[in-house]
Each structure stands twice: as structure tokens, then as C-alpha cells.
Amino acid sequence: MRFIFNHPLIKGILFLGLLASTAITHAEPAKNEELFTFTTWSKQTADGLKGFFEVPENRGTPKSRSLKIHYVRFPATGKQPGPPIIYLAGGPGGSGIMAVNYRFDMFMALREYGDVIALDQRGTGRSNDLPNCESRQVVPALEKISDAKYIEYHREALRECLTFWREKGIDLAGYNTLENARDLEALRQHLGAEKIVLWGTSYGSHLAFAALREIEGSIARMILSSAEGLGQTIKLPARTESYLDRLQLAVDQQPSAKAAYPDIKTLIKRVHTKLEREPLKIQIPQRDGENLDYLLQRRDMQRIASSFIADPKSAAYLLGFYRSIDLGQVPAFDKVPRRYFPDGFHSPGTPISLRAMPTAMDIASGMSKQRKLQVRGQAENALLGDYLNFSYHYDGLARELDLGENFRSNPRSDIPVLLLSGTLDGRTYIESQREAMSGLDNATLVTVENAGHNLFMASPEIQETINFFLEGRPIEKTTLTLNLPDFSPK
């Protein structure tokens, strides 16, 4: 990002440009806002305003320290703009401001309907003043260890980090989805808006659901994708098995892919058994050109799979990994972007590190006793075990952060909500998304066949559907279909 706002003449020119395309009430800087030009990674630019507002770290503590919550506001361009549209990033831990880089066209398109705001939630992006914690725990890179031992390394790392953050004066009880939702109300007041529109994906939908219960009267409508219900932070392993059945049906549509992967579940099980019996020694390339030796175990593939099943494109890579191992070859991990892999995979033999915001948020949202029993029972025979959400293994630690059962119940509302769900989403399964919406009486559910977890910009039809929703027009086409990626081996 490149900020241009220091020179008074430049500030004046930018401000006049904003006024030329929007109503004064939408372009006029609010308190703590400055004009600037946003430049994306691909050199696209847009004039806007960057700003911040202040909130308590923990509203339940009278002497809580103050946090600055940063955002970028792109003023509306339409003739009759509606309420501000606030983007809620996923994760938890994603940066809304950073998301403009890869969802730029969507941010710009939505300006037709109101100011569009890229928000860095507390503890993320420019709103993050929390120190990362590097524990003393190191999982041996070349030693075969049990799941129990591996999990205990991580539990001990969390214990160390909880102490570290406490000693740094961080009140982790302030990093939960309820406080996040209350920040949205503070932002609405800061902007002087009567209502707001929430636009969220994945954890962003989790936050939107919490806001619906907490500040329902301040919300005009919600646009969601890949919904994660308030009681769904920990995913059900059995739902992964159903997802793999849908993935098999998609693969079977392509003759060459079907020939290579006639039975995905059997392939995965065979490779896991092989690695359990004899882990595979591999080398993991580093950015400096060096290679680190690593013993790839069954658990590693379960964790990798838990990340790669998010979208059809990454699932295609995953199938290739399993096929390579099955054939006695080393999987080409280095040919795939690092962002797809679980945290820490590319730096074996180094201390376990944790980020405060996502760690605390997931622990706070937690799971019910019933959910815990479901996960435990299903994981025994599930191909990916209990590695879909690692915070499951933190159960019993930091109990004081848990928001409780009332938080995890579905909200009820008649506010208009649009949900877009992908049939090949392996992170927030379509069955679970439907369950998360069960208390919303004015919801429009759109199924996107062959789409995955990250679907917002997967098709022009998706943007068109969102436009119809914001215009209050009926959405008659509730099933959209995307082309599948090529699943055949590369």
C-alpha cells in the first residue's frame, strides 16, 4: 500500500475528487480520517480515506487500556447510496485492509450501494499491537512421535504463551467475538451512520452472527459466504467424509481424473496407513535456498488435508500429494504456494509460535460439551481425525476465556440476509451452513455448485446476485454453477 496525503495541495485535490463522485455526507472525512490513495499489490489504485476509532480492550474492565481500530473507507459512488458496507475478514486473524488487494474489483463494485469499509478487526493488520509469542516448545523434525506427544507440545506452548501475554499486560479476555461485534457498533457511531451492512466470509460470518444478536437494531442487512455458526468453531469430522463424497463426484466428471483417483477415500486411507507404518523423509525448501530435513508423518498429511480441502483448486493439489506418496514418490510441496499450508509446516524444528488474536478468539468461541463428544466420537474413524481445527486440542486450557453456551446458540432475526454456499467447501460444509442459518426468517440461500470456501469473486453471477440483494430485488436464481478445475495429475 502507498499512502499519499502529506502535502496540503495533494490533500485538497484528492478531497475535491472525492466530492465530485460522491455526496458530501459520504466523502467528508470523519474524525481521525485522512485522505490517501490505496495501491494494491497489482498496482490498481483507488482514492479513499484511512482512519481509526478507539475502543476499550475489555469493556468489562473499568481501567482497560484503549485500542485503535483501523480501517479504510472507500466513499460511495452511486447516486442514492445506502448504509456503509463493512467487510469482515475471515480467520480469525485476517486483515480486512489487506483483503482489498485480492478483492479489489468487488470492493469497487459495492461502492455503488454505499461507502465500503475494509476493517482491520482488533488484533489484526494495522489494528494489531499484540506481540507474537515464541514458545520454548520444539517438535522434533526427524523423530517419529505419537499424536498425544505432539498435542502436548502444543498445549505446553499455549500455557507458556498465556503467561507471556499476561506478563506483557495483554488482557486476552478482550479478544473474543462479542467484543469484536461491539467494535462494529462503535464504528457505526464513529461514522455517524444510522445503520450498517455487514459483508463477511468464514469467521467474518461468525462475527456477523454475533453482531446480529448484539446490535441487531444497527444492522440493515448482511451478505455472507461460507458461514460459520456461533457453535461451529470446531468442525464435525463426519462432515468431511460427506465432503469427500462430493469431491469424488466432481472428479468422476473428468475421465483422466477419474482414472487417477477412482476412490479418493481409499487412497487417503492407504497413504495414512503407509506413513503411520513408515514416515517419509523429505526436504522442505527455505526462502534462502537451503533445505530442511523433515520426517513426514500421517498426522502431517491430515493437517495439510484440513487446509487444502478449502477449495477445489487446492484440493486438486492435495490429490496429487496423496498420489505421489502412494506411488513411492516425494510430493511436490514446493510447487504450491505456502499460504495453503498449515502454520509452521515450512519451518520444522523451530519453536512453536502463536498469535494472540486468533488463538484467543477460537478458544473464546469454544465448543459445547455435546459438540466435544461428537467430535471425539467421529474422529476415531474419520480420515482427518480431529485435526480440522487445532483449537480443539486446547480444550480445558484458558477456561476463563470461554463465552459460554448462550453465545453458541443461533441468533434469531428477520433482518435480510444473503448466504452464498459452495458445494465443494471443505472448511465450512454446506450442511453446517444451513444449520447456522436456521433462526433467520428473512434469509436467501444461494447454492454455488462446484465452488469452495473462497467464492466471492469466483463468478460474475455472484456479484450480480449480491447487487440484486442490495437493491432489494428478488433473487430468483438460487443455484449458480461454476466450472471445475482440472483434477487430473500434473
Side-chain angles (χ1 to χ4, degrees), residues 300-464:
D300 295 304
M301 287 306 300
Q302 289 177 312
R303 294 201 66 199
I304 289 171
S306 295
S307 295
F308 275 70
I309 59 176
D311 293 297
K313 181 180 177 181
S314 53
Y317 288 128
L318 180 68
L319 294 176
F321 297 159
Y322 275 105
R323 185 172 186 270
S324 294
I325 297 171
D326 193 44
L327 294 174
Q329 302 167 358
V330 175
F333 293 143
D334 58 324
K335 304 301 182 183
V336 180
R338 285 174 170 241
R339 67 179 181 273
Y340 289 128
F341 289 85
D343 291 344
F345 177 76
H346 284 93
S347 52
T350 59
I352 296 171
S353 297
L354 294 173
R355 292 188 295 150
M357 185 274 195
T359 301
M361 289 280 176
D362 277 347
I363 290 174
S365 291
M367 61 180 163
S368 66
K369 292 181 180 179
Q370 179 184 3
R371 188 90 168 178
K372 179 180 175 180
L373 291 174
Q374 280 183 291
V375 172
R376 181 183 296 170
Q378 294 177 10
E380 292 181 3
N381 299 309
L383 288 171
L384 304 190
D386 53 17
Y387 285 107
L388 284 164
N389 294 91
F390 204 82
S391 60
Y392 169 79
H393 298 292
Y394 295 149
D395 183 53
L397 302 176
R399 294 179 187 273
E400 69 280 3
L401 300 182
D402 193 295
L403 291 172
E405 291 307 303
N406 287 339
F407 168 80
R408 287 186 278 271
S409 61
N410 281 1
R412 295 193 169 277
S413 176
D414 60 1
I415 285 176
V417 180
L418 170 65
L419 172 66
L420 297 130
S421 303
T423 58
L424 293 181
D425 180 347
R427 291 298 303 164
T428 49
Y429 306 111
I430 193 164
E431 310 97 313
S432 300
Q433 294 187 51
R434 297 292 190 262
E435 291 169 0
M437 300 288 287
S438 63
L440 307 183
D441 297 330
N442 195 8
T444 300
L445 309 181
V446 176
T447 300
V448 188
E449 295 283 349
N450 302 329
H453 193 65
N454 301 288
L455 59 73
F456 268 140
M457 294 183 65
S459 164
E461 283 190 295
I462 291 172
Q463 183 65 60
E464 184 179 69

Side-chain angles (χ1 to χ4, degrees), residues 232-302:
Q232 296 176 345
T233 295
I234 306 301
K235 310 302 184 288
L236 295 175
R239 293 278 164 88
T240 311
E241 307 299 302
S242 299
Y243 156 81
L244 290 172
D245 290 336
R246 291 192 293 274
L247 180 62
Q248 184 71 65
L249 291 174
V251 166
D252 288 350
Q253 296 179 39
Q254 302 173 357
S256 60
K258 182 178 181 180
Y261 309 113
D263 190 334
I264 293 171
K265 287 183 175 179
T266 298
L267 170 64
I268 292 173
K269 185 175 182 179
R270 188 165 61 239
V271 168
H272 288 177
T273 300
K274 182 177 184 178
L275 290 174
E276 184 67 20
R277 184 174 61 250
E278 185 177 355
L280 177 65
K281 188 173 181 179
I282 64 172
Q283 289 191 320
I284 299 180
Q286 302 299 292
R287 298 186 190 278
D288 61 6
E290 297 295 319
N291 291 310
L292 293 180
D293 291 332
Y294 186 62
L295 198 63
L296 186 74
Q297 301 181 46
R298 178 262 308 152
R299 172 182 55 252
D300 295 304
M301 287 306 300
Q302 289 177 312

Side-chain angles (χ1 to χ4, degrees), residues 88-91 121 198-209 224-225:
L88 307 178
Q121 302 160 30
L198 300 182
W199 165 32
T201 185
S202 193
Y203 170 77
S205 70
H206 187 84
L207 172 54
F209 289 135
L224 307 177
S225 77

